[in-house]
Amino acid sequence: MGKVSEILASVCKENRKNLLEPEAKTICQEYNIPVTRFEVAKKEEEAVKFAEEIGFPVVLKIVSPDIIHKSDVGGVMLDLKTGSEVEKAYRTILANVINHQPSAKIFGVLVQEMAPSSTEVIIGAIKDNQFGPTVMFGLGGIFVEILKDVAFRIAPVTKQEAELMITEIKAYPVLKGYRNQPPLDINAIAEIIVSTSKLVTDHQEIKELDLNPIMVYEKGAKTVDARIILE
Ligand code: ADP
Ligand code: MG
């Protein structure tokens, strides 16, 4: 069995519906979707060791099957620059989570590369009752949430269709470059759309997928948060 099917089967066996971020990101990696480097620490010293291996600055996040919105419970700490900042953040995150949601099971703390901030895009997928797996693309923040400036396609999505999805949103000039803003890596986004489409087509047990946000650069892109929900 492939690595992706193995993860999905073990989540199913544990009667979970929501994948942990490290599980979702491992699946992304199997489909060549670029994600931030990450390791799951079970102890404070381990978090420091992983941070040193990954390279500062790092981000720490709670890993719990009971917490979907990690920042809502104080479960995300960004831009940690030293070992002692990592130690402190590790303790703060655990204290915040215990305080906000005492019943939450805690699997560990995710240590990950801090992606330089840039234009954020969102790639998502839902399994529509009528059309099956459907892929969504839009820019992060107000563009999707308030302006509903998004493009949808029924999977499978070809590279050409993915490129059309990107050019058809109103915010496209933000990606294409304007005035002295350089063009961003549209090809990298199109590749992630195609990979996402392939993932949800291959694995129909996925009900929802959310790569939010993906930082897009002049060269390349990086997924900083990934969520997968099973049927
Ligand atoms: P939540 O479960 O609350 O959605 P996220 O993992 O999305 O938690 O983290 C919250 C925010 O922190 C993200 O939307 C992003 O702006 C920022 N962030 C998270 N991880 C990283 C990272 N590795 N590098 C840079 N920014 C990050
Ligand atoms: Mg998020």
Side-chain angles (χ1 to χ4, degrees), residues 10-109:
S10 82
V11 170
C12 208
K13 210 172 148 203
E14 287 173 35
N15 278 318
R16 288 193 278 130
K17 293 268 174 257
N18 304 316
L19 272 66
L20 303 166
E21 183 179 329
E23 291 168 337
K25 281 185 169 172
T26 302
I27 288 176
C28 287
Q29 285 174 323
E30 290 298 303
Y31 277 83
N32 292 318
I33 296 169
V35 299
T36 45
R37 275 190 70 185
F38 66 91
E39 295 286 350
V40 178
K42 304 273 187 188
K43 288 202 179 73
E44 208 174 293
E45 312 85 75
E46 216 179 9
V48 176
K49 191 190 84 180
F50 289 144
E52 283 164 354
E53 285 168 11
I54 289 167
F56 294 99
V58 294
V59 174
L60 260 55
K61 302 185 194 179
I62 193 69
V63 181
S64 165
D66 304 315
I67 294 168
I68 301 188
H69 299 286
K70 302 173 292 284
S71 26
D72 291 357
V73 295
V76 177
M77 301 208 65
L78 304 172
D79 204 20
L80 308 167
K81 295 186 183 77
T82 62
S84 68
E85 281 185 26
V86 168
E87 282 173 3
K88 210 172 139 208
Y90 189 100
R91 290 194 289 265
T92 306
I93 284 177
L94 293 188
N96 287 346
V97 171
I98 290 164
N99 190 28
H100 280 89
Q101 209 170 315
S103 64
K105 275 196 288 309
I106 296 172
F107 285 11
V109 173

Side-chain angles (χ1 to χ4, degrees), residues 24-223:
K25 281 185 169 172
T26 302
I27 288 176
C28 287
Q29 285 174 323
E30 290 298 303
Y31 277 83
N32 292 318
I33 296 169
V35 299
T36 45
R37 275 190 70 185
F38 66 91
E39 295 286 350
V40 178
K42 304 273 187 188
K43 288 202 179 73
E44 208 174 293
E45 312 85 75
E46 216 179 9
V48 176
K49 191 190 84 180
F50 289 144
E52 283 164 354
E53 285 168 11
I54 289 167
F56 294 99
V58 294
V59 174
L60 260 55
K61 302 185 194 179
I62 193 69
V63 181
S64 165
D66 304 315
I67 294 168
I68 301 188
H69 299 286
K70 302 173 292 284
S71 26
D72 291 357
V73 295
V76 177
M77 301 208 65
L78 304 172
D79 204 20
L80 308 167
K81 295 186 183 77
T82 62
S84 68
E85 281 185 26
V86 168
E87 282 173 3
K88 210 172 139 208
Y90 189 100
R91 290 194 289 265
T92 306
I93 284 177
L94 293 188
N96 287 346
V97 171
I98 290 164
N99 190 28
H100 280 89
Q101 209 170 315
S103 64
K105 275 196 288 309
I106 296 172
F107 285 11
V109 173
L110 187 62
V111 182
Q112 66 183 237
E113 167 194 357
M114 169 93 188
S117 66
S118 186
T119 300
E120 297 183 1
V121 302
I122 300 173
I123 293 172
I126 53 154
K127 196 168 172 190
D128 185 85
N129 284 336
Q130 203 173 347
F131 300 112
T134 304
V135 179
M136 184 276 274
F137 167 74
L139 256 72
I142 60 160
F143 292 100
V144 166
E145 281 162 31
I146 298 171
L147 303 174
K148 313 286 180 215
D149 182 19
V150 291
F152 281 98
R153 287 291 185 288
I154 297 167
V157 179
T158 64
K159 182 80 179 279
Q160 215 172 10
E161 282 178 306
E163 283 161 358
L164 279 174
M165 286 174 79
I166 299 166
T167 51
E168 79 187 27
I169 61 165
K170 290 195 201 72
Y172 174 59
V174 175
L175 300 170
K176 194 185 61 178
Y178 59 98
R179 288 191 209 150
N180 49 10
Q181 291 296 311
L184 300 174
D185 197 338
I186 286 163
N187 185 57
I189 306 172
E191 279 175 358
I192 301 175
I193 293 173
V194 171
S195 300
T196 300
S197 154
K198 186 160 185 346
L199 165 59
V200 294
T201 306
D202 290 350
H203 297 278
Q204 300 268 337
E205 62 271 54
I206 295 175
K207 187 175 135 204
E208 266 178 64
L209 173 151
D210 200 20
L211 309 179
N212 178 13
I214 302 168
M215 303 284 185
V216 188
Y217 303 106
E218 284 173 58
K219 209 166 181 307
K222 208 158 256 190
T223 305

